[in-house]
Amino acid sequence: MSQHAWETVVQAFPQILGKGLTMTIPLTLISFAIAMVIAVVVAMVQFAKIPVLTAICRFYIWVIRGTPLLVQLYVIFFGLPSIGINVDAFPAAVLVFSINEGAYGAETIRGALESVPAGQLEAGRCVGLSYLQIMWHIILPQAFRTAFPTLGNELISMVKDTSLAANITVTEMFFQTQRIAGRTYETMALYLEVAVIYLLFSTVLSLLQKAGEKRLAAYGRQL
Amino acid sequence: MALLDIQHISKSFGQGEVLRDVNLKVEKGDVISILGKSGSGKTTLLRCINFLERADAGTMVFDGQEVDLHRAAKKEIDGIRKKTGFVFQNYNLFRNLNVLENVTLGLTAGRGMDKEAAKEKALDMLGRVGMEEEKDKFPSQLSGGQQQRVAIARALATDPQIIFFDEPTSALDPQLTDEVLNVMRKLAEDGMTMLVVTHEMGFAREVSSRVVFMDGGLVVEEGEPKSFFANPKDARTRSFLRLAESVKA
Ligand SMILES: Nc1ncnc2c1ncn2[C@@H]1O[C@H](COP(=O)(O)OP(=O)(O)OP(=O)(O)O)[C@@H](O)[C@H]1O
Ligand SMILES: [Mg+2]
């Protein structure tokens, strides 16, 4: 690698990592947290088979999972202003990532809810618990353990997917890298560098995921 | 007045008529064994009484209160469930909770009892079934017999007026069956009202105050255990008992 490339990479490192820590990670965590709230509600509505709401949830999941994330970002950030609704880049990205992951997460959690044996719900009813109490104390905790590995993978995917937010001017890691590349022309070195930083983030999250799975397994042993 | 008086209960699943017109009276302190071959509707009967399944028709008077088994409102159902206990064939302990929490949940969340009082009561109940030593274990760490004893403690803890048992020992090998039957025997001696679907002829003969024999969705015969086993009147009862004897031998 040339002297210039090295210097660029070294100089760029704190700038790219900085954006990672101040933009990519917060964008991911905030979006994922909101997505989990959406996912639990949407999954529970379907699990409880609440008439009209279930149909609405199915429609939401169908639309979100059937369209590209990038297109969703464009609709919100570039589309809405044309009908008079302006959203800043960062909140627009949070909105889209939350709604997007909400749909995938809902399917994961619904599957996990349905894998809890019916006898658990019946036993809850027989000791005099209400439906919501049974969900809260019995069904959701068990479903969460089942869903945890998949949700962990979805979180890791989301870290990588936030790079798409560069397209709507969110100055996250990848956007920052593109900027520096435009200035220095060290495209290969810089894009490899940002790839390595994404890899670093994913690896840390995978390790956390493994540790989390271990803890869940220790607590209560295998279901 | 009987504690539980079920009249004209019927239930079909699609084309299959599972309960035709079942009547059953349970007095306070009764221990009633329900016998019958597989598919005769025993489980369905218990499930309809506790509304885990909706009967197509029938009424029930429980603790002086009359309910329509088909149309009962949520509030009536909740009221009845708070006063009854259910012990399942496959235990159905809450898998994410330890033994103690399995017993306390119905008291704290279900009945608003404070944590300390619930814990004390739960330990007391676990003592009655000989499981207080395992209070911190999770269901997956227990044998089937131990799980079933915890399930009995869980049912007992809420002070039910009656406990329904659906083949509580049929998933257990003989030794574990005995440890569970001994607990049930003790409950009977303490005056607990119990409605027990079982294949354990010894239990039906020695512990129950009445035996009910079901076949094809009907109560075919019922009586005190002595006369029931000594002179069964109906031909279906006789052939069932003969078969049960031959299996044992
Ligand atoms: N949810 C259901 N859907 C359809 N059919 C059912 C359902 N539950 C029970 N049945 C049918 O109803 C009949 C009676 O079942 P039930 O479980 O009450 O019998 P049982 O007397 O408890 O038998 P066993 O001794 O095998 O437990 C069976 O033919 C069964 O297949
Ligand atoms: Mg049965």
Side-chain angles (χ1 to χ4, degrees):
Chain A
M1 218 155 69
S2 77
Q3 181 79 10
H4 181 251
W6 257 125
E7 279 166 12
T8 312
V9 164
V10 170
Q11 267 180 15
F13 185 76
Q15 294 174 35
I16 298 176
L17 183 65
K19 285 294 179 196
L21 295 176
T22 58
M23 294 297 279
T24 299
I25 295 296
L27 176 58
T28 306
L29 293 184
I30 295 169
S31 304
F32 197 78
I34 299 171
M36 285 304 104
V37 176
I38 297 174
V40 167
V41 172
V42 169
M44 277 179 63
V45 162
Q46 296 177 82
F47 183 70
K49 301 193 176 69
I50 303 172
V52 178
L53 291 180
T54 297
I56 295 173
C57 290
R58 292 312 307 166
F59 180 78
Y60 156 67
I61 290 167
W62 174 64
V63 170
I64 296 301
R65 296 208 309 169
T67 54
L69 181 51
L70 186 58
V71 174
Q72 294 165 13
L73 282 165
Y74 270 58
V75 168
I76 297 299
F77 187 70
F78 297 114
L80 285 184
S82 73
I83 56 167
I85 305 168
N86 286 294
V87 195
D88 286 342
F90 189 82
V94 167
L95 184 68
V96 171
F97 285 120
S98 312
I99 290 178
N100 186 273
E101 170 53 25
Y104 287 92
E107 285 297 83
T108 304
I109 293 172
R110 184 176 63 94
L113 286 172
E114 278 163 6
S115 76
V116 177
Q120 296 286 306
L121 180 74
E122 294 183 346
R125 290 197 185 288
C126 287
V127 297
L129 301 183
S130 71
Y131 186 77
L132 285 177
Q133 287 174 330
I134 297 169
M135 288 309 290
W136 180 252
H137 292 285
I138 313 293
I139 312 289
L140 278 172
Q142 292 183 27
F144 176 70
R145 287 179 54 171
T146 311
F148 185 83
T150 311
L151 292 177
N153 292 341
E154 286 169 16
L155 176 64
I156 292 168
S157 292
M158 196 191 242
V159 174
K160 296 176 284 172
D161 288 345
T162 54
S163 60
L164 290 172
N167 291 283
I168 62 163
T169 75
V170 176
T171 58
E172 46 64 70
M173 281 207 303
F174 185 60
F175 188 90
Q176 181 67 16
T177 311
Q178 284 178 310
R179 261 190 191 159
I180 302 171
R183 221 172 45 225
T184 61
Y185 300 104
E186 291 295 349
T187 46
M188 185 56 146
L190 286 165
Y191 290 136
L192 283 177
E193 182 176 23
V194 76
V196 168
I197 297 175
Y198 277 115
L199 190 58
L200 190 74
F201 285 0
S202 315
T203 307
V204 169
L205 284 175
S206 309
L207 291 174
L208 288 175
Q209 181 190 21
K210 286 265 147 46
E213 277 173 43
K214 239 192 186 147
R215 270 192 74 151
L216 282 177
Y219 156 81
R221 302 297 183 89
Q222 72 280 30
L223 288 179
Chain B
M1 193 166 53
L3 172 65
L4 176 69
D5 187 353
I6 300 156
Q7 296 192 347
H8 307 300
I9 180 168
S10 62
K11 172 73 182 170
S12 301
F13 290 109
Q15 295 295 316
E17 244 188 321
V18 176
L19 299 175
R20 286 165 202 274
D21 178 17
V22 174
N23 299 285
L24 186 66
K25 241 186 207 169
V26 185
E27 302 290 340
K28 196 164 175 306
D30 265 349
V31 176
I32 298 183
S33 293
I34 303 180
L35 307 180
K37 56 182 195 236
S38 184
S40 56
K42 308 178 298 292
T43 296
T44 307
L45 176 65
L46 290 191
R47 289 173 63 82
C48 285
I49 299 174
N50 221 11
F51 300 95
L52 292 175
E53 213 78 70
R54 264 307 163 135
D56 297 334
T59 57
M60 150 168 120
V61 179
F62 176 67
D63 193 23
Q65 182 199 357
E66 177 161 359
V67 276
D68 183 317
L69 286 167
H70 180 59
R71 269 187 275 280
K74 194 176 163 297
K75 227 174 144 189
E76 293 176 293
I77 296 175
D78 290 345
I80 288 164
R81 286 198 182 130
K82 289 232 154 117
K83 292 194 265 185
T84 59
F86 204 106
V87 174
F88 298 85
Q89 186 171 359
N90 56 352
Y91 339 122
N92 284 343
L93 290 183
F94 304 130
R95 302 181 304 172
N96 58 316
L97 302 181
N98 69 23
V99 165
L100 185 63
E101 292 162 338
N102 259 278
V103 183
T104 55
L105 188 63
L107 299 172
T108 52
R111 284 158 185 80
M113 192 185 275
D114 78 62
K115 272 213 171 101
E116 277 311 305
K119 185 175 167 189
E120 200 174 309
K121 179 143 199 207
L123 287 173
D124 192 24
M125 296 303 147
L126 288 169
R128 278 178 80 176
V129 301
M131 285 296 295
E132 72 271 65
E133 305 255 302
E134 342 294 313
K135 69 181 167 57
D136 296 320
K137 289 195 177 163
F138 283 85
S140 59
Q141 298 170 292
L142 302 176
S143 74
Q146 290 177 319
Q147 290 191 56
Q148 196 59 298
R149 285 188 282 149
V150 173
I152 293 172
R154 176 174 71 177
L156 274 178
T158 58
D159 293 324
Q161 300 192 17
I162 182 170
I163 303 182
F164 306 111
F165 292 82
D166 187 10
E167 298 195 31
T169 61
S170 63
L172 303 174
D173 61 36
Q175 189 195 340
L176 300 182
T177 295
D178 283 344
E179 73 181 45
V180 171
L181 288 181
N182 286 337
V183 166
M184 292 172 64
R185 212 179 279 261
K186 226 167 61 192
L187 289 185
E189 283 163 12
D190 295 344
M192 175 55 78
T193 312
M194 306 196 272
L195 189 54
V196 187
V197 171
T198 185
H199 288 297
E200 291 297 326
M201 295 303 151
F203 180 87
R205 197 192 305 258
E206 293 152 29
V207 184
S208 49
S209 54
R210 218 140 50 84
V211 180
V212 170
F213 175 71
M214 286 181 66
D215 191 70
L218 287 167
V219 172
V220 169
E221 184 164 350
E222 63 175 290
E224 304 214 329
K226 240 193 192 138
S227 58
F228 179 89
F229 285 103
N231 322 296
K233 293 187 190 66
D234 196 281
R236 287 166 287 184
T237 318
R238 283 198 292 272
S239 82
F240 174 80
L241 290 177
R242 217 175 302 126
L243 197 67
E245 278 308 310
S246 69
V247 168
K248 216 170 117 196

